[in-house]
Amino acid sequence: MFSFVKNSLKKVYCQITSALAPLFSATKIDQNDLQELETIFLNADVGIKTIKQILGNLKKETSSGALQNGIQLKDRCTTMLTQILHLPTVADELGAIILLVGVNGAGKTTAVAKLAHMQALQGHRVLLVAADTFRAAAPEQLASWAHTLAVSIHEGVTGQDPAAVVFTACERFVREKFDTIIIDTAGRLHNKVNLMSELAKIKRVIAKVLPGHKSSTLLTIDAMLGQSSFEQAKTFQKETKVDGVILTKADGTAKGGIVFAIATELNMPVQFISFGERPDAFKRFDPKQFVQELLTS
């Protein structure tokens, strides 16, 4: 069976899965083994809140005799980690309008392209919108992807009001009867109040021009940044409704535990994982499958 973690997230596999194998094969589990498990989770960026929740339960079960060996430890970890990731998802119900937000450098534009590729393979007529008119070469980068993927693109000009670009793109979406419109927005930081306000303006434009169409907002988070990306993500939560996360650059880090921290700290589901440079290096996130593969060597 194809193992996504083993074959695509090799650093995660080597750092987490391999380290867990001796614990899960142990004939007897004690408090020292749980301390080792805690260290593995800490190094994997699982997050303090999540670790306390899991280890608290495991320590009680070990003390009571309910948890005695590695097989039982693996079963309990599988159950608890899967429950943590069990949040409502929109991956199978993405709206016709998909808005990608995130900070610069998080792989947002590449994620836009990969998502467009996935939609196109499903038979959707896709219109990409280069609404990041602030970052130099951003429209050109997306245009290059559009050419590679053979999908349509709507571009503005450098410095143009992004909401104006989105307005004309939405009109084109209706006029030319596209199935999906995917909008690349400018990278935003918590201290860029004007850019965050611009995001709200874009959403108002979409609601006005495309009333009745379902929309989804996805936040790109760089897996390599780990915990340091959370404050930025919390800002987006305050400023706009976010339906889920695209975890980017997942193949470049060993800290695969960030998916649990995102669920616990941000209460956001990971919808997609982006890894590698190819257009098809993009996968819908399956919590149950991810946990099973993460814990199985």
Side-chain angles (χ1 to χ4, degrees):
M1 183 177 68
F2 171 73
S3 170
F4 170 66
V5 172
K6 183 176 182 179
N7 292 284
S8 300
L9 307 184
K10 295 180 180 178
K11 290 185 178 181
V12 170
Y13 182 83
C14 292
Q15 180 71 26
I16 303 176
T17 312
S18 299
L20 290 172
L23 292 178
F24 293 158
S25 63
T27 56
K28 183 176 176 57
I29 293 295
D30 56 26
Q31 297 297 325
N32 289 331
D33 294 315
L34 296 185
Q35 184 65 47
E36 175 63 21
L37 179 66
E38 182 176 9
T39 300
I40 293 171
F41 282 168
L42 281 170
N43 291 336
D45 241 357
V46 170
I48 299 297
K49 187 175 180 179
T50 306
I51 293 172
K52 284 184 177 180
Q53 176 183 332
I54 293 174
L55 267 295
N57 291 332
L58 293 177
K59 287 177 181 178
K60 290 179 182 178
E61 293 176 14
T62 303
S63 298
S64 69
L67 176 60
Q68 299 182 13
N69 57 54
I71 294 176
Q72 292 174 329
L73 177 62
K74 180 181 178 181
D75 288 343
R76 289 298 294 129
C77 286
T78 299
T79 298
M80 287 189 286
L81 290 173
T82 302
Q83 287 176 340
I84 288 169
L85 296 180
H86 189 65
L87 295 170
T89 62
V90 300
D92 293 323
E93 301 178 2
L94 286 173
I97 309 157
I98 306 173
L99 190 71
L100 265 70
V101 300
V103 300
N104 286 331
K108 176 166 47 61
T109 299
T110 301
V112 168
K114 290 181 176 182
L115 187 56
H117 178 66
M118 176 178 284
Q119 293 282 307
L121 288 178
Q122 294 173 358
H124 295 181
R125 289 190 65 234
V126 179
L127 176 63
L128 296 181
V129 183
D132 183 357
T133 57
F134 297 108
R135 181 170 65 89
E140 289 81 0
Q141 180 186 2
L142 193 61
S144 177
W145 271 114
H147 176 75
T148 299
L149 300 174
V151 299
S152 299
I153 184 170
H154 189 87
E155 298 180 70
V157 296
T158 302
Q160 184 179 0
D161 180 3
V165 177
V166 172
F167 181 87
T168 54
C170 288
E171 289 186 322
R172 181 180 171 188
F173 171 80
V174 175
R175 184 174 63 253
E176 298 183 24
K177 299 180 179 179
F178 285 95
D179 300 308
T180 306
I181 181 169
I182 305 177
I183 304 169
D184 184 19
T185 64
R188 290 163 170 81
L189 294 174
H190 64 280
N191 59 344
K192 299 295 184 181
V193 178
N194 60 324
L195 291 181
M196 290 303 249
S197 298
E198 187 65 45
L199 180 59
K201 185 178 178 182
I202 287 174
K203 287 199 165 188
R204 289 195 299 271
V205 165
I206 292 172
K208 180 179 179 179
V209 183
L210 299 176
H213 286 74
K214 180 181 177 181
S215 64
S216 303
T217 300
L218 301 177
L219 171 65
T220 55
I221 292 182
D222 185 341
M224 299 179 69
L225 295 180
Q227 297 283 330
S228 64
S229 63
F230 286 170
E231 290 305 316
Q232 298 166 349
K234 288 177 181 178
T235 300
F236 280 95
Q237 284 182 308
K238 292 177 183 178
E239 297 293 334
T240 187
K241 179 180 179 293
V242 176
D243 297 298
V245 168
I246 297 178
L247 190 64
T248 65
K249 309 177 188 179
D251 57 319
T253 179
K255 298 184 180 294
I258 189 175
V259 297
F260 305 103
I262 290 171
T264 303
E265 302 290 339
L266 303 177
N267 196 35
M268 285 185 190
V270 174
Q271 304 284 7
F272 299 95
I273 289 188
S274 177
F275 53 97
E277 298 298 325
R278 302 187 319 275
D280 61 350
F282 192 75
K283 178 181 173 67
R284 293 183 187 276
F285 183 69
D286 183 326
K288 184 176 180 180
Q289 180 185 33
F290 180 81
V291 172
Q292 288 178 339
E293 293 184 359
L294 185 69
L295 303 186
T296 302
S297 59

